[in-house]
């Protein structure tokens, strides 16, 4: 069975990496290897992505003490956690939902990428996986978590970034992006770089460089068929989560990529709606040790 959908195949060909993508597709499995099961059950955080009932795509975090994720079968997980009522995916997870996920351990720079269907349970979610595979450790900043019980603030919703939001974006070294294909199958992906790699070009316009990756182009393949996307930007110190939804477009102009060190391509994101929840996550993380793979930062001139 072909592991890639039409959008992914189109983008792989456009990038000239069709054969590379075929070669790495063998890493995609439909059952959870023992080593992956052990890793998943040790994690205090599961990054998720999905489309809501309006078709808007969001990313968020499910958190719990290690053991809150349990491997219950060859392709099933039980997650004993719930989102706060103000989270943009709270309502979505009360019904069966196609979910993209990343179990990520910044301390060891390891991550496991998954997608499947989540069903609500009394304690959280039961998830049936369709795909699971490891991603490389590039661009993951090393940091160690501590558990700190927290009460999320009331969500703040807006249609554009405030100065406070811009300060968070400017300082971030990590964000997560959620996308879906035309059938609603969801993907969640990690993006990392030196602070400043996610560049604010206006209150509703972000841009970032696309660095060398695994050549699967899961995110770009989804954007090829559905431009809707959701970003989640964490404040690792305070537990604040900034959720953005809107549209993303891949800029394939090599001159634009050449202006950003390490960039293979450039991605432009237009903010349509945001939800900011201060102290949303009970995880507090140490200061980062930035990845040695992060390219230096240089920005183009801002556009109007």
């Amino acid at each position: 069975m072909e592991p890639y959908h039409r959008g992914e195949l189109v983008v792989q060909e456009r990038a000239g990496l069709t054969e590379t993508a075929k070669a790495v597709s063998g890493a995609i499995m439909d059952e959870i290897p023992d080593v992956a099961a052990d890793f998943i059950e040790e994690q205090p955080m599961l990054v998720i992505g999905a489309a809501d009932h309006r078709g808007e795509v969001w990313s968020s975090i499910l958190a719990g003490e290690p053991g809150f994720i349990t491997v219950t079968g060859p392709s099933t997980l039980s997650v004993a956690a719930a989102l706060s009522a103000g989270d943009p995916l709270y309502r979505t997870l009360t019904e069966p939902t196609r979910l993209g996920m990343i179990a990520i351990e910044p301390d060891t720079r390891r991550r496991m990428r998954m997608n499947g269907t989540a069903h609500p349970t009394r304690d959280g979610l039961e998830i049936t996986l369709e795909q699971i595979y490891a991603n490389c450790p590039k661009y993951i900043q090393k940091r160690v978590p501590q558990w700190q019980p927290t009460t999320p603030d009331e969500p703040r919703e807006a249609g554009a970034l405030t100065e406070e939001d811009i300060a968070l974006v400017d300082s971030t070294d990590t964000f997560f992006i959620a996308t879906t294909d035309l059938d609603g199958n969801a993907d969640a992906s990690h993006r990392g770089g030196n602070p400043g790699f996610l560049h604010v070009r206006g209150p509703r316009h972000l841009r970032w460089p696309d660095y060398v990756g695994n050549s699967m182009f899961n995110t770009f393949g989804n954007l090829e068929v559905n431009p809707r996307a959701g970003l989640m930007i964490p404040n690792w110190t305070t537990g604040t989560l900034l959720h953005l939804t809107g549209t993303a477009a891949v800029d394939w102009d090599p001159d634009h990529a050449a202006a950003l060190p390490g960039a293979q391509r450039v991605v432009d994101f237009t903010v349509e709606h945001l939800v900011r929840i201060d102290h949303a996550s009970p995880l507090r993380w140490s200061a980062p040790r930035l990845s040695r793979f992060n390219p230096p930062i240089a920005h183009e001139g801002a556009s109007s």
Side-chain angles (χ1 to χ4, degrees), residues 16-76:
L17 293 169
T18 297
E19 293 305 314
T20 304
K22 285 181 180 178
V24 299
S25 67
I28 302 173
M29 295 166 283
D30 59 6
E31 292 190 353
I32 305 167
D34 290 344
V35 65
D38 293 341
F39 171 77
I40 291 166
E41 291 186 341
E42 293 169 352
Q43 301 314 309
M45 174 177 72
L46 184 67
V47 177
I48 62 172
D52 67 14
H53 65 285
R54 296 181 297 268
E56 293 182 336
V57 180
W58 300 91
S59 178
S60 193
I61 289 177
L62 289 164
E65 306 240 22
F68 88 104
I69 308 172
T70 306
V71 176
T72 55
S75 302
T76 55

Side-chain angles (χ1 to χ4, degrees), residues 4-304:
Y4 302 121
H5 64 68
R6 179 179 62 84
E8 291 165 329
L9 295 171
V10 167
V11 173
Q12 291 161 7
E13 182 176 3
R14 184 178 300 158
L17 293 169
T18 297
E19 293 305 314
T20 304
K22 285 181 180 178
V24 299
S25 67
I28 302 173
M29 295 166 283
D30 59 6
E31 292 190 353
I32 305 167
D34 290 344
V35 65
D38 293 341
F39 171 77
I40 291 166
E41 291 186 341
E42 293 169 352
Q43 301 314 309
M45 174 177 72
L46 184 67
V47 177
I48 62 172
D52 67 14
H53 65 285
R54 296 181 297 268
E56 293 182 336
V57 180
W58 300 91
S59 178
S60 193
I61 289 177
L62 289 164
E65 306 240 22
F68 88 104
I69 308 172
T70 306
V71 176
T72 55
S75 302
T76 55
L77 305 174
S78 177
V79 179
L83 300 174
S84 68
D87 190 284
L89 286 177
Y90 173 80
R91 176 180 171 185
T92 299
L93 293 187
T94 63
E95 300 176 347
T97 305
R98 291 168 182 155
L99 208 61
M101 294 154 281
I102 300 177
I104 185 168
E105 187 173 64
D107 186 24
T108 61
R109 295 191 167 109
R110 296 170 66 197
R111 52 181 160 170
M112 190 67 59
R113 196 158 168 173
M114 300 169 280
N115 58 61
T117 301
H119 293 267
T121 66
R122 178 180 300 178
D123 297 324
L125 300 172
E126 187 74 21
I127 302 170
T128 300
L129 300 183
E130 296 173 4
Q131 292 183 332
I132 177 170
Y133 51 100
N135 275 174
C136 77
K138 275 187 176 181
Y139 321 121
I140 297 177
Q141 326 313 335
K142 188 178 180 69
R143 41 175 44 102
V144 180
Q146 288 187 339
W147 183 265
Q148 182 176 313
T150 189
T151 300
D153 289 2
E154 289 295 314
R156 175 176 60 78
E157 301 189 41
L161 298 167
T162 65
E163 289 299 320
E164 186 179 24
D165 299 330
I166 290 171
L168 174 56
V169 174
D170 282 341
S171 66
T172 196
D173 55 49
T174 302
F175 70 94
F176 298 92
I177 178 169
T179 56
T180 71
D181 64 16
L182 287 176
D183 295 321
N185 297 304
D187 178 75
S189 186
H190 163 276
R191 294 291 183 271
N194 287 335
F197 87 109
L198 180 58
H199 180 43
V200 179
R201 292 171 60 83
R204 297 184 61 244
H205 184 191
L206 305 182
R207 171 173 285 186
W208 66 88
D210 179 56
Y211 300 142
V212 173
N214 63 13
S215 303
M216 291 182 181
F217 293 103
N218 306 118
T219 297
F220 282 11
N222 284 346
L223 294 176
E224 178 71 17
V225 296
N226 177 14
R228 303 209 64 83
L231 308 187
M232 189 266 292
I233 303 163
N235 184 317
W236 299 96
T237 303
T238 67
T240 290
L241 300 179
L242 178 61
H243 310 270
L244 310 175
T245 192
T247 58
V250 182
D251 181 349
W252 292 82
D253 188 324
D255 291 336
H256 294 167
L260 301 175
Q264 307 295 297
R265 290 148 290 270
V266 179
V267 185
D268 289 289
F269 181 80
T270 300
V271 178
E272 295 181 358
H273 185 196
L274 71 82
V275 177
R276 178 180 176 130
I277 306 177
D278 291 332
H279 311 112
S281 171
L283 294 172
R284 303 292 184 270
W285 299 78
S286 64
R289 289 175 55 190
L290 298 177
S291 170
R292 64 185 177 88
F293 295 102
N294 293 345
I297 301 301
H299 289 142
E300 305 165 272
S303 63
S304 60

